[in-house]
Structure formats: structure tokens, C-alpha cells
Amino acid sequence: MSYTLFIGDRTFSSWSLRGWLMLEKFNLPHSVQMVGLYAGTMAKDLAPLAPAILVPVLRTPEGDVVGESLAIAETLAERHPEAEMWPKDAAHRLRARWLCAEMASGFSALRASCPMQLQHVNEGFDTTPDVQTDLARVEVLWRSARGISGAKDGWLFGAYSLADVFYAPVAARIIGYDLPVSTEVREYCLKTVSDPSFRQWRRDGLQVTYDPFPYPISASARPWPLD
Ligand SMILES: N[C@@H](CCC(=O)N[C@@H](CS)C(=O)NCC(=O)O)C(=O)O
């Protein structure tokens, strides 16, 4: 009885990373199938999973297919209440859901200007006002999670939750573009990218090389921390 998760290239696919963390961090049995996101075969690869057109896509052990990361998260949380994917406390859970939904529908400047790439740190990235606005919102939302959960450091709601899953690629962008954030936010980002599951995902991603690399690499790019 195992889930199948269909994902795109690990180095770049932020939504695939979320889908995988949902299964991996909560110990839900799964296997992974790659879809040719950067190889150009995505439409053909996803055709048997209609109406899916994006990754990640989850196939349940019963053969049902669900797309959209929030829908995948809610499906898994409903099927595995024992995994406590959402915070236990109702008020914390409500706030965590809010954070995840805002992530899924917002942060357009950060997402467009800083596409996730896990290869290196693009030092000297020119942070536009729109990206700064998104970063300020990240600060507010993470502080609000800590305010309500009482978690002074570590995961946003104390125990690892779907909120940490949804913000993992944000943390990766902050690290990968060396974005200006508060010390607390940077510490959380470093915690995220040093988590063993995240590191495994990144290591697996780096097995694939890209020539040319699909995104600009700054002249002063430096190695990824905690490599
Ligand atoms: N709203 C979707 C977003 C998924 C998404 O945009 N996935 C990207 C890869 S990270 C994708 O499939 N892109 C292919 C495309 O846009 O054609 C979700 O929550 O899962």
C-alpha cells in the first residue's frame, strides 16, 4: 500500500519538493516517478494522469489521482490523522492553513524573480522592491506562526507541520539568492536546508547536470551552504 508521487526536476521544482516532503517527513510509504519537466515530455508523461497538467501529482494506493499541492496535503492529512501533518491545536492549525494557502496563491514577485535552484548561492542578487515586499510578508507570517505557537525557534509551529513543508522552497530561495532577511528568518532557512530529508532531495537533484543551466548564474556565485 504505497503512494506514487509524480515529480519534476528536483533541483528546480519547488512544488515537487513540497509534495515529496509531505510524504517523506511524515513517513508515508511512497515511490517517486519523474516527469520530464525540463526534458519537454511533461504533457506526454502526465497524459495517463488526466486531468493533471502540473507536478506534483499523487496517486493513492487505490489508484485515485490528485493534483494541486494544497489538495494533496489535505488528502494526505485526512487519510493519515495519526501523522499529525497539521498542528494539533485548532488555533495553530487554522493559522498553519492560512500560511499554506497564502503561499500557494501569493508571493508572485519572489517566485518569478528567484526561481528555485538548489545548485549554488547567487550572491549579489538585486532585490527589487516587490521582492522586498514579499520578504517582509514572509517575516510577518513566520513571526505570527511563532507568536501563536510559542515556538521561539525551530519549526514554525513547534512540531514539523505542513506549514514547514509549504515554506521549504521559500527558505531555499532565500538561501539560494542570499536574500536580505532577519537573523531569525535566516536561521529558520538554514534549519530547513540542513534537514536530512531536504539534503537528500538536493543530493538526488544534483545527480542531474544541466547544460546550459536554465537560470542565470551570478558572476560571484558561491557554493551552497552545508553541502
Ligand atoms: N498550483 C500548483 C502549482 C504546481 C506547479 O506550478 N508546478 C510546476 C513545477 S514546480 C509545473 O508543473 N510547471 C509546469 C508548467 O507550468 O507547465 C500546485 O499547488 O501544485
Side-chain angles (χ1 to χ4, degrees):
M1 288 293 272
S2 177
Y3 291 96
T4 308
L5 185 71
F6 296 81
I7 62 166
D9 303 53
R10 291 178 175 89
T11 303
F12 308 114
S13 181
S14 56
W15 292 102
S16 298
L17 168 60
R18 291 183 177 96
W20 182 76
L21 287 173
M22 289 175 205
L23 294 159
E24 183 71 15
K25 288 292 291 176
F26 295 98
N27 297 315
L28 304 179
H30 62 277
S31 62
V32 160
Q33 277 197 29
M34 295 298 299
V35 163
L37 177 60
Y38 281 71
T41 59
M42 178 135 163
K44 179 172 74 68
D45 296 346
L46 288 182
L49 305 170
I53 52 167
L54 299 173
V55 283
V57 186
L58 182 76
R59 191 169 58 209
T60 67
E62 298 79 20
D64 297 314
V65 171
V66 57
E68 285 296 316
S69 302
L70 267 178
I72 294 172
E74 289 293 5
T75 299
L76 292 172
E78 180 186 282
R79 289 169 61 99
H80 301 280
E82 74 292 346
E84 295 182 354
M85 299 176 75
W86 291 116
K88 255 199 276 195
D89 179 277
H92 301 183
R93 196 159 61 243
L94 172 157
R95 183 63 56 92
R97 279 201 164 97
W98 177 351
L99 261 65
C100 292
E102 187 159 334
M103 177 61 242
S105 64
F107 299 100
S108 52
L110 180 64
R111 284 154 69 172
S113 303
C114 306
M116 191 182 89
Q117 60 76 27
L118 304 179
Q119 183 178 271
H120 53 260
V121 175
N122 255 330
E123 227 177 30
F125 179 78
D126 190 12
T127 311
T128 62
D130 286 350
V131 170
Q132 279 166 21
T133 301
D134 279 353
L135 291 174
R137 185 65 182 158
V138 168
E139 300 264 358
V140 167
L141 291 179
W142 291 3
R143 211 174 306 127
S144 91
R146 296 196 183 287
I148 198 167
S149 70
K152 295 205 184 330
D153 51 22
W155 303 123
L156 293 172
F157 289 90
Y160 190 87
S161 77
L162 285 166
D164 302 295
V165 167
F166 272 72
Y167 281 88
V170 172
R173 286 175 162 101
I174 289 172
I175 296 297
Y177 292 85
D178 201 22
L179 299 177
V181 289
S182 65
T183 308
E184 302 76 58
V185 161
R186 181 159 300 279
E187 272 170 14
Y188 174 77
C189 295
L190 286 169
K191 178 175 177 63
T192 299
V193 303
S194 55
D195 184 71
S197 299
F198 184 98
R199 291 174 78 152
Q200 186 195 321
W201 172 271
R202 180 171 175 271
R203 252 194 327 272
D204 290 348
L206 294 182
Q207 300 300 315
V208 183
T209 52
Y210 297 85
D211 187 16
F213 198 72
Y215 301 109
I217 305 179
S218 77
S220 53
R222 59 179 156 84
W224 189 264
L226 311 156
D227 213 355

